[in-house]
Amino acid sequence: MKNNVYSILKGKFLVSDDSFKNWRVIIFISVLALVMIASSHSADKKVHEIARLNNEVKELRSAFVDGRSQLMRLKMESSLVKKMSEKGVFPSEIPPRKIRIKSQQ
C-alpha cells in the first residue's frame, strides 16, 4: 500500500510502459475541465446581461408611468383653463348648443 502511494506521488504512472492510457485520460479530463470553465463563464455573462436588461426595463417602465401621469395632468380641464387664461382666452359662459340642419328633399 505504501509503495503504491509513493509511486503515485512520484508520478511513475506517467512514465511507465502503459502510461499512454493514463495520458489519454488526463488529457480528456483536462479538456472537459476547460469546456466546463468556458461554459460557466458564458453562463455568468448571460446572467449579468439579463440583470442589466431587467434594470433597464424597470427604468423605462417608471419613465413611461411618469410621462403618462404628466400627460393626464396636462389634459385636465383645470390645467387647460389656467394655461389659456394666461394667454387671454377664457372658457365660454354660455354652454354649447347642438345645431340641427334639416335636409330639404
Side-chain angles (χ1 to χ4, degrees):
M1 178 77 174
K2 189 175 181 182
N3 244 354
N4 289 338
V5 173
Y6 281 140
S7 68
I8 290 174
L9 290 176
K10 288 182 182 180
K12 286 186 180 179
F13 68 97
L14 297 175
V15 292
S16 66
D17 294 334
D18 61 347
S19 66
F20 182 70
K21 291 185 227 172
N22 296 336
W23 278 106
R24 280 194 319 194
V25 170
I26 290 171
I27 290 173
F28 178 71
I29 291 174
S30 299
V31 168
L32 283 180
L34 288 175
V35 168
M36 188 176 80
I37 291 169
S39 174
S40 174
H41 283 300
S42 175
D44 286 342
K45 186 190 287 186
K46 288 178 184 176
V47 166
H48 288 297
E49 181 72 14
I50 288 170
R52 185 186 64 77
L53 289 174
N54 280 336
N55 287 338
E56 188 176 342
V57 165
K58 287 178 185 176
E59 289 175 11
L60 290 174
R61 187 173 291 138
S62 68
F64 167 73
V65 169
D66 185 43
R68 186 172 55 183
S69 65
Q70 284 179 355
L71 176 66
M72 293 303 274
R73 272 187 261 127
L74 289 174
K75 285 172 50 176
M76 289 181 6
E77 185 179 358
S78 59
S79 65
L80 286 175
V81 168
K82 187 186 294 182
K83 292 246 183 201
M84 295 309 286
S85 65
E86 292 172 359
K87 295 181 180 183
V89 178
F90 298 100
S92 174
E93 299 293 328
I94 304 168
R97 289 189 288 165
K98 190 181 238 181
I99 300 174
R100 295 185 185 165
I101 299 176
K102 296 181 182 179
S103 64
Q104 298 173 353
Q105 290 184 1

